Amino acid sequence: MPSQRADHAFLPRGWAADHTVPVAAGGSDAVAWRLTGLPNLHSHAFQRAMAGLAERQSHPEDSFWTWRELMYRFAGRITPEALHAIASQLYVEMLEAGYTSVCEFHYLHHQPDGRPYDDAAEMSNALIAAARDTGLRLTLLPVLYMSGGFDGRPLSERQRRFGHTLEAYQALLSALRARAGDTLAVGIALHSLRAVPEGPMRELLDDVGDTPMPIHIHIAEQIGEVQDCLALRGARPVEWLLDHAPVDARWTLVHATHLEPSEVRGIVASGATVALCPTTEANLGDGLFPLRDYLQAGGHWGIGSDSHVSVSPVEELRWLEYGQRLVTRRRNIAVSATQSSTGELLYAQALQGGLRACGQPGAADDFIVLDAQAPALAGATRDDLLDRWVFAGNRSLVQETHVAGQRLVSGGRHRDRDAVAAGYVRAMRTLLAS
Ligand code: ZN
């Protein structure tokens, strides 16, 4: 098998020199800058198709909750064929931007009227096929979604595509887990505390027991959710979860935006990872994660592109830092006693946390190559490479992307970019006309 030598390779443990790895035939055999690729910890693929379509004011008090109504209307029109076309386009964009794996938090399970498809895994199959066709490593997290609020109210008409009984969910989960393989992992997702009542949550988690698998949950994204949880369960969401579920290193808490200091300490002590989605959290007006306190406490974290208003790991990392700078009126927040480079600390921690949370043992072997000829990297050294990419570079610096021994992106282009884009355009025309 041919190999590729890198002058400088950024690995999960840090920089290495003269690093050689086996690669697929037909590409460069020596490069300057190679980086282990970042996992994308949170994605709802279908939302890629509505990116940019929710930026007109519909109500003077527009918020997450008014956006959610629009998202529900959009979700109601997505067919399995459309989902395959949208996810394929999204996954090509992720690979070209430097993500090498994705955790799909998948709740769009059923037909628009709420009845399961003949194959209950039809929509999951569309995502699996899109990942297989484009080469992106997939952690599929079928979502358990049972109620429309903390009070246990039934799902609304627009939420019917998402819902399962616990038995039906467990059947879907075991069918999907039987298909896991080299580049497909399957774990579970609890939509949120408001959508999963305590009894079924306990039953599912008892059933899972110690089985090693990723367990993801949306939590504490919105103030309204914190208030409802306090009113109906007598505790804040993260506080309640840590008290009522066996949260450990398998768990990923998505957003965890609104935290008290004791909750920050509790997450860190549990060993869970937090999935931060800065561009989506900004787009939806969610609030700001207490990054400084969390880093100081030694917490694990990674990034996700969530609603896909941006598909760029460097933009997520940049905005994670910029949000903190804007409120603290200071610079270089994400640093430590041993790491003064903000870009390198952000990339290294997002990589380490991402690898813990994605449940993909092979993901540490996936990598990207940056364009050493790009003006943005002129005269780059190991000390400044990641600062340059995160703060002053963009996806155009990604020259090659390799996943599981396949070269998927060369010269900055995915091997099937044009065909996938044509399929996406057809699917969007149909969607927008329906
Ligand atoms: Zn989400």
Side-chain angles (χ1 to χ4, degrees), residues 387-404:
D387 289 331
R388 288 173 185 244
W389 189 38
V390 170
F391 291 100
N394 282 303
R395 63 186 281 176
S396 57
L397 292 188
V398 178
Q399 187 88 5
E400 297 181 14
T401 304
H402 299 242
V403 174

Side-chain angles (χ1 to χ4, degrees), residues 70-88:
L70 187 77
M71 183 271 282
Y72 284 176
R73 285 206 297 277
F74 207 83
R77 301 203 295 261
I78 308 274
T79 61
E81 297 71 32
L83 183 60
H84 177 262
I86 296 163
S88 298

Side-chain angles (χ1 to χ4, degrees), residues 165-332:
T165 61
L166 185 57
E167 297 68 33
Y169 176 81
Q170 285 169 313
L172 173 67
L173 181 65
S174 52
L176 292 172
R177 282 183 63 79
R179 294 168 57 186
D182 274 357
T183 57
L184 172 65
V186 177
I188 63 175
L190 306 170
H191 180 273
S192 55
L193 294 180
R194 69 175 182 273
V196 183
E198 181 177 356
M201 181 190 86
R202 279 184 193 281
E203 211 177 312
L204 176 63
L205 294 175
D206 284 350
D207 194 44
V208 166
D210 298 332
T211 313
M213 70 166 86
I215 304 172
H216 290 216
I217 183 171
H218 283 140
I219 198 152
E221 179 180 8
Q222 288 291 321
I223 294 284
E225 174 195 344
V226 175
Q227 288 166 341
D228 286 355
C229 193
L230 272 168
L232 285 146
R233 296 199 185 171
R236 301 168 56 83
V238 168
E239 180 187 13
W240 189 91
L241 184 75
L242 293 172
D243 276 349
H244 291 81
V247 178
D248 59 22
R250 294 173 300 170
W251 284 67
T252 295
L253 310 190
V254 181
H255 304 303
T257 308
H258 301 287
L259 299 177
E260 293 290 335
S262 60
E263 293 175 304
V264 169
R265 292 191 296 273
I267 295 173
V268 175
S270 75
T273 302
V274 170
L276 300 166
C277 311
T279 62
T280 293
E281 289 154 8
N283 186 275
L284 296 179
D286 287 344
L288 200 62
F289 178 77
L291 183 71
R292 269 207 301 192
D293 296 348
Y294 191 71
L295 293 182
Q296 274 165 12
H300 302 288
W301 61 276
I303 51 164
S305 59
D306 193 357
S307 68
H308 314 302
V309 282
S310 169
V311 183
S312 163
V314 294
E315 193 175 16
E316 299 302 338
L317 295 175
R318 186 186 300 159
W319 276 100
L320 183 59
E321 167 74 15
Y322 283 171
Q324 305 293 320
R325 291 188 189 187
L326 287 166
V327 294
T328 60
R329 301 195 296 276
R330 303 272 298 274
R331 299 188 71 248
N332 299 321

